Amino acid sequence: MTTETRTSTGKVVLGVVAAIVAASIGNAVVSYLAQALGADPNAVEGLKPQGYVVLTALGVIIAAIAWATIRKRAKDPARTLGKLVPIVVVVSFLADVPVFFLPGASIVGVLALMVMHVVVAAVSVPIFRRVLPV
């Protein structure tokens, strides 16, 4: 492995870690605001740190792998990502829909989960553009 490869890998890993940390902080703010507006973290588990930090990390890691794959394989990765990222974020909201039906869940709590998806994308995309440019 060359120094350049290790540096690039290190830069990507650092970027992914930075995205996880920054998005987790952003999601903590969303969770706090949702709870201040009456959302119950016992009914909406994703509002608890052990929920949103783990899911944020998982989302960022999966997104980084997908980004790197598209960057490598797409004929026009910038265009592909420009179309795909908003679609994936909107589709990811579907994962939160069943939470509406849990006892004690509120619309505020579920909307907060959906906002968290946007936070992850808003933090991750600029970082990926820097560490995995297309």
Side-chain angles (χ1 to χ4, degrees):
M1 192 176 257
T2 68
T3 303
E4 181 178 305
T5 303
R6 275 186 260 138
T7 302
S8 295
T9 301
K11 185 176 179 182
V12 172
V13 169
L14 186 59
V16 169
V17 170
I20 291 168
V21 171
S24 293
I25 292 168
N27 285 341
V29 172
V30 172
S31 175
Y32 175 80
L33 292 173
Q35 290 177 57
L37 293 172
D40 181 1
N42 293 315
V44 181
E45 293 285 326
L47 296 178
K48 293 180 179 179
Q50 61 269 32
Y52 63 77
V53 172
V54 169
L55 293 172
T56 295
L58 186 61
V60 170
I61 292 166
I62 291 169
I65 292 167
W67 185 286
T69 302
I70 290 165
R71 176 179 176 249
K72 190 178 201 178
R73 298 190 179 178
K75 288 182 183 177
D76 186 352
R79 181 180 166 133
T80 301
L81 288 163
K83 289 182 177 182
L84 196 57
V85 169
I87 291 168
V88 169
V89 171
V90 171
V91 170
S92 76
F93 296 161
L94 295 176
D96 299 324
V97 172
V99 178
F100 274 119
F101 303 103
L102 295 176
S106 66
I107 192 163
V108 171
V110 175
L111 289 175
L113 295 179
M114 292 176 177
V115 169
M116 288 177 173
H117 294 256
V118 175
V119 168
V120 171
V123 168
S124 297
V125 168
I127 291 172
F128 293 166
R129 282 186 178 143
R130 184 171 178 113
V131 300
L132 291 165
V134 290

